[in-house]
Amino acid sequence: MGSPLSPILADIVMDDLETHCLSLLGFAVPVYYRYVDDIFAIVPRANVDEINLIFNSYHPRLKFTHEIESDSCINFLNTNVIRSNGKILTNWYRKAMCSDRYINFYSSHPFKYKLNTIFNLVDHAILLSDDQFHGKNIDVVKQILLNNCFPTHIVNRYICKRLNFLKHRSSSILGDGEIDTDKPSYIALPFVEGLSDNVGRLLKNMGLTVVYNIPKKLNSLIKRGKDSLPISNRTEVVYKINCKNCSASYIGQTKRHLSTRVKEHCNNIKMHESNLSVISKHKLKFDHDFDWSAPDILHNEKHVRKREIAEMFFIKKFDNTINSQKDTENLNNIYDKLIKVV
């Protein structure tokens, strides 16, 4: 889940699954449609259990459930499929728990976004349904928009405009049968109410299509609910440990919990002389101790190589560090003067 490959892999598995399982059925399936893992099929009612059993036998970790039509109707994705007088009809389907909450007309968003809300709802109401349901569906669209504070004149005007577009959408094909392939040039601008629309009109006259982005999003206004981690539990950091008795300090980096790394520094003094760290040597030579309980976090970085560069940067930036020379050998001395003034 979450990987860009997930839809592709899911489709490969489902393609193999349906090819294998449909070949095992003792009858032909006259109608079979699939969208990712949602399947719509018309099969004899007596064979429903058989097809469910065969599909579930493909792999022990895959379990399919099925739903049978009720009153000659069944829901599939955003449509309600209706069996009527030997024909299949469809109607726009909305779940019972649908909140009908869309962008509010008075929100600080480009007018294009609000128009797209109208057009999107009209497209669902018309393109997913048979002609006999269009009138009722448009009434539902109007009510949804009014509940989201869209003015009546805006609703009526742009619903009519979209209906007219859908009615004549085939006219977008040129007279000679060729499709106009000229692609407009786009430019992205941050949306500032009262300013961006005027700038957009000027750019439109220059042949540019403006796409707006919203710089102030909800997550920048609402604080995160998680409590901040204690310093000792932080990971992927560059840290500094200070000597209690002089101005010396040690700078390091770790991907583990900082408390784990500090404990290793503290216990290093118990090791053989040949394996002593620079911290332990400083303690023995001057009879000093380090402030193990209050290390300073200088930088956070998940990427290992970037974290190592940050470690070398801070070693050179601070005076009186006791790190060995090899800790900074991969950072060229040409940067030394620049580091000191940053």
Side-chain angles (χ1 to χ4, degrees), residues 121-182:
L121 286 170
V122 173
D123 288 355
H124 278 73
I126 299 300
L127 300 180
L128 297 180
S129 58
D130 191 72
D131 292 349
Q132 61 183 285
F133 303 114
H134 287 177
K136 183 179 179 181
N137 289 348
I138 291 299
D139 290 339
V140 172
V141 170
K142 289 180 178 179
Q143 189 58 53
I144 290 173
L145 294 170
L146 292 174
N147 290 341
N148 286 276
C149 300
F150 281 69
T152 303
H153 69 282
I154 294 289
V155 171
N156 292 332
R157 177 184 175 185
Y158 286 100
I159 285 181
C160 289
K161 184 176 181 179
R162 191 61 176 181
L163 289 174
N164 186 60
F165 169 80
L166 293 176
K167 184 178 180 180
H168 302 95
R169 64 186 183 275
S170 60
S171 63
S172 60
I173 301 178
L174 302 181
D176 58 0
E178 295 182 0
I179 299 175
D180 186 2
T181 57
D182 291 341

Side-chain angles (χ1 to χ4, degrees), residues 195-252:
L195 176 63
S196 296
D197 288 333
N198 295 331
V199 175
R201 280 191 288 271
L202 292 174
L203 294 173
K204 185 177 181 180
N205 294 334
M206 299 169 61
L208 297 172
T209 300
V210 179
V211 178
Y212 298 107
N213 55 61
I214 309 299
K216 185 176 287 188
K217 297 184 179 180
L218 193 61
N219 59 5
S220 66
L221 303 175
I222 300 177
K223 292 184 178 180
R224 297 188 178 186
K226 291 184 177 180
D227 296 331
S228 58
L229 284 173
I231 290 178
S232 60
N233 289 341
R234 301 273 287 276
T235 59
E236 299 168 334
V237 298
V238 178
Y239 60 91
K240 180 163 74 83
I241 304 175
N242 299 309
C243 179
K244 289 183 177 180
N245 306 103
C246 67
S247 60
S249 62
Y250 174 83
I251 293 174

